[in-house]
Amino acid sequence: MALKSCVSRSYRHLVESGVLPMAALSNYFNLEEITTARKISAAVINISGRQRMLSQRTAFFCMRLVCSQNGLERAKLRVNLLEAIELMEKSHRDLINTDSSINLVSSSSSTVKAMYFEAPLYLDKQIREYIDRIKALVQVPDAELMLENPHLLYIVEAAGGDLLEAFDAVVSQYQQESEIEQFEIDLKQVELYQESCAATSKAEAQAAQLDRALCELKQTQAQLLHSEKMSSLGALMASIVHEINNPVSFIYGNLSHAAIYTQDLLNLLCLYQECYPNPCPEITAKIEEIDLDFLVEDLPKVISSMRMGSNRIREIVKSMGNFSRTDNSNMTMCDLHDSIDSTVLILRNRLNSQIDRRDIQVIKNYGNLPPVECYSGQLNQVFMNLITNAIDALDDASQNEPYATLKISITTELAGPDRVRVRIADTGVGMTPQIKERMFEQFFTTKEIGKGTGLGLSIVYKILVENHRGTLRCESEPCKGTEFIIELPIQQT
Ligand SMILES: Nc1ncnc2c1ncn2[C@@H]1O[C@H](COP(=O)(O)OP(=O)(O)O)[C@@H](O)[C@H]1O
Ligand SMILES: [Mg+2]
């Protein structure tokens, strides 16, 4: 029973999941056929059992018919006998000819046929003879009914001997055949059950594979979007750099001339004051109006701070130029310090003090690094993501503890004859083991919507490990801070 319900459950599952088309399945496993087969064998066993029972009953009635002295009772017994015989004849016909109205549709086995129509049993002949004899006995007038009647003698002997044995043999044959058939059906069901299990696990594996493919597709799409954003940011920066470069060069280039010219003019003014110590009142009034002493003292300072400012602009423009190099098709030999410096400069605004936070100190401990073969644009992206995460962690730390040390240390060193190491450490909020375990997962973020995408570290990992044969490790402790340790081969080949 359990097996059957299991079979039909997995059968339904298979059909619903489309693994086995309905038609193929019905060929293989026909529940109706099995039920019909069961009904037939039950009916056959029933009918043949009834035949046996009828033969015994009719023999008993015949005895009573002969022994009874009561006319009425004899008449009743004659009717009973005729009814029983009619039933026996009909059952016999059914078994021999098969009859769909009582579920007898399949023909008997060759063994059963031999039992009916061949020696030694020849049951068909025995039954017909037996029925004829009873019909004959029923016809005998009351006066002639006696124990020596040859029909009665035949009937009694058959019912207790050959006929009974023949019935027993046929019933047991029917039973055996039914058991074998049942066993075959069970076997078929077990086989189907096993097949359905295999098909189910195959379907499940296929579904899991589909899930994985879908997930990968989603990730690739997200990464594509991200790198698309990065490259348009790069292109935008490149065009800004191009536009700003010339005017900045004018200012920077002319500042040194302006400094010399003003110094010359100031010297000339001194000379005038020496040669004409008593200027006319108009000039004296003007000197007072413009506060000449202060002007003379301040002008060089103004020029030097203009020089500092334009220097700063030049640096930023240079960094933007570095950063906008997003050439992904060719590896080049790059100075990692340039890349880090550019990133820090571009993030300057976020490092400076904010309304609710003090300055973040960036401490650079640069070692002596050779140029490293890499996709420079991609490495810029790595430093950008790691330093941005560090700033976010420091923002959070400052929220929790306003006087917390806000520091990012960037250390570079050789990690062997052919490898370099970059360590980016912050004194931010750090990570719990649960966050650390999931940080490289795509779309995993602990930041609010709009601030975190959960893409940064997964991209960093892909760039370093897959694209540059590097490694990425992380050490982090809640409330203490986090350190990311990058190692890269100097040469890719
Ligand atoms: N320096 C860090 N300090 C503390 N937590 C960090 C740091 N870097 C990354 N994380 C954690 O890892 C998560 C995933 O980072 P990331 O992939 O860059 O996505 P996002 O920055 O968009 O959240 C962050 O949300 C944060 O919880
Ligand atoms: Mg991030």
Side-chain angles (χ1 to χ4, degrees):
M1 190 61 208
L3 178 72
K4 196 177 154 198
S5 76
C6 241
V7 170
S8 64
R9 215 181 316 125
S10 43
Y11 157 90
R12 224 183 15 252
H13 172 78
L14 288 174
V15 172
E16 278 164 9
S17 68
V19 172
L20 289 182
M22 194 69 176
L25 194 67
S26 60
N27 264 347
Y28 189 75
F29 183 63
N30 192 335
L31 273 177
E32 209 171 304
E33 212 174 83
I34 291 172
T35 323
T36 312
R38 278 195 186 139
K39 277 189 196 158
I40 291 170
S41 44
V44 166
I45 293 166
N46 252 341
I47 294 168
S48 55
R50 189 166 64 198
Q51 289 286 64
R52 182 186 186 281
M53 182 271 290
L54 282 172
S55 72
Q56 300 301 295
R57 182 190 284 187
T58 45
F60 177 64
F61 282 176
C62 289
M63 287 290 287
R64 276 182 57 194
L65 180 67
V66 171
C67 296
S68 174
Q69 298 305 313
N70 183 329
L72 264 175
E73 194 189 352
R74 279 185 166 162
K76 203 175 160 224
L77 282 166
R78 281 195 167 91
V79 173
N80 284 347
L81 268 169
L82 284 175
E83 279 170 5
I85 282 304
E86 197 183 325
L87 196 58
M88 217 171 148
E89 263 186 315
K90 183 181 179 313
S91 300
H92 185 57
R93 265 200 318 274
D94 289 343
L95 284 172
I96 300 295
N97 302 332
T98 70
D99 178 349
S100 60
S101 69
I102 50 162
N103 285 325
L104 289 180
V105 284
S106 64
S107 54
S108 319
S109 73
S110 58
T111 316
V112 169
K113 273 187 191 143
M115 288 171 134
Y116 273 93
F117 300 110
E118 288 167 27
L121 286 190
Y122 213 159
L123 184 57
D124 175 57
K125 201 171 133 210
Q126 285 198 59
I127 291 174
R128 277 190 282 114
E129 176 73 34
Y130 186 78
I131 289 170
D132 286 349
R133 292 290 188 151
I134 289 175
K135 278 183 183 166
L137 187 71
V138 170
Q139 303 298 323
V140 172
D142 284 0
E144 290 170 29
L145 280 177
M146 44 195 136
L147 284 170
E148 300 81 49
N149 183 293
H151 298 309
L152 180 66
L153 289 177
Y154 178 92
I155 291 164
V156 172
E157 195 178 326
D162 289 352
L163 186 64
L164 183 65
E165 271 173 26
F167 272 136
D168 283 347
V170 169
V171 170
S172 111
Q173 178 63 26
Y174 274 136
Q175 243 154 3
Q176 266 181 37
E177 286 180 10
S178 155
E179 274 163 24
I180 290 171
E181 194 176 34
Q182 187 56 48
F183 182 68
E184 277 168 5
I185 289 171
D186 288 350
L187 264 185
K188 205 170 164 188
Q189 284 188 339
V190 168
E191 204 177 291
L192 180 82
Y193 176 65
Q194 283 171 343
E195 293 226 349
S196 79
C197 284
T200 307
S201 62
K202 194 173 154 202
E204 277 167 3
Q206 277 174 347
Q209 202 181 353
L210 215 67
D211 263 6
R212 274 198 302 280
L214 198 72
C215 187
E216 270 170 30
L217 207 73
K218 242 171 84 181
Q219 295 185 352
T220 318
Q221 196 190 20
Q223 277 192 347
L224 222 88
L225 220 92
H226 192 91
S227 35
E228 182 58 31
K229 249 186 187 165
M230 285 303 285
S231 78
S232 43
L233 184 71
L236 185 71
M237 277 193 178
S239 72
I240 293 172
V241 167
H242 182 77
E243 290 300 323
I244 296 179
N245 239 342
N246 279 347
V248 167
S249 301
F250 300 155
I251 296 171
Y252 187 79
N254 286 324
L255 260 176
S256 49
H257 299 298
I260 296 166
Y261 296 160
T262 24
Q263 198 52 53
D264 286 349
L265 283 173
L266 288 177
N267 291 344
L268 181 68
L269 197 65
C270 275
L271 200 61
Y272 265 115
Q273 280 175 331
E274 276 170 28
C275 299
Y276 303 100
N278 299 311
C280 63
E282 254 182 308
I283 291 179
T284 312
K286 195 66 188 175
I287 285 173
E288 267 178 33
E289 191 195 39
I290 64 172
D291 194 356
L292 184 64
D293 289 344
F294 177 75
L295 191 152
V296 167
E297 191 193 320
D298 203 42
L299 191 55
K301 289 185 193 163
V302 169
I303 297 229
S304 109
S305 81
M306 280 166 75
R307 181 183 281 134
M308 254 173 61
S310 65
N311 243 335
R312 184 80 164 272
I313 297 175
R314 262 163 46 99
E315 270 175 40
I316 292 173
V317 170
K318 195 174 130 210
S319 293
M320 283 168 74
N322 273 342
F323 199 85
S324 66
R325 265 192 259 122
T326 49
D327 185 8
N328 274 343
S329 53
N330 286 318
M331 286 213 172
T332 46
M333 299 306 291
C334 294
D335 183 347
L336 292 192
H337 296 152
D338 273 356
S339 180
I340 297 169
D341 289 345
S342 303
T343 310
V344 171
L345 208 81
I346 283 164
L347 290 171
R348 185 82 259 157
N349 187 44
R350 286 211 57 200
L351 293 163
N352 288 344
S353 61
Q354 317 280 312
I355 303 170
D356 54 353
R357 200 205 65 208
R358 292 171 304 129
D359 263 343
I360 292 172
Q361 254 182 296
V362 176
I363 297 159
K364 296 177 185 166
N365 307 307
Y366 285 172
N368 221 343
L369 289 195
V372 172
E373 191 177 18
C374 63
Y375 297 111
S376 61
Q378 291 190 6
L379 282 198
N380 287 338
Q381 208 174 326
V382 166
F383 297 128
M384 185 67 143
N385 282 328
L386 292 181
I387 297 172
T388 309
N389 279 348
I391 297 173
D392 288 341
L394 289 165
D395 275 347
D396 289 348
S398 151
Q399 294 271 317
N400 300 343
E401 160 64 80
Y403 296 103
T405 320
L406 306 178
K407 204 163 71 180
I408 297 176
S409 314
I410 304 173
T411 310
T412 63
E413 60 204 357
L414 277 174
D418 50 5
R419 287 174 87 74
V420 295
R421 185 183 298 132
V422 180
R423 291 189 284 143
I424 298 174
D426 64 66
T427 55
V429 283
M431 284 182 254
T432 61
Q434 290 86 338
I435 295 178
K436 206 174 150 213
E437 202 171 296
R438 300 191 57 195
M439 66 183 170
F440 292 121
E441 272 177 34
Q442 270 201 324
F443 309 114
F444 173 77
T445 180
T446 55
K447 296 167 194 173
E448 58 201 65
I449 299 170
K451 202 168 173 207
T453 59
L455 282 176
L457 288 182
S458 66
I459 289 174
V460 166
Y461 187 89
K462 189 173 152 58
I463 291 176
L464 293 173
V465 178
E466 290 176 25
N467 301 1
H468 289 85
R469 299 190 303 119
T471 58
L472 177 64
R473 272 191 307 122
C474 170
E475 275 161 24
S476 185
E477 235 181 281
C479 304
K480 290 214 168 137
T482 303
E483 183 173 42
F484 281 95
I485 301 139
I486 298 168
E487 281 190 24
L488 283 172
I490 293 169
Q491 296 278 343
Q492 287 294 323
T493 42

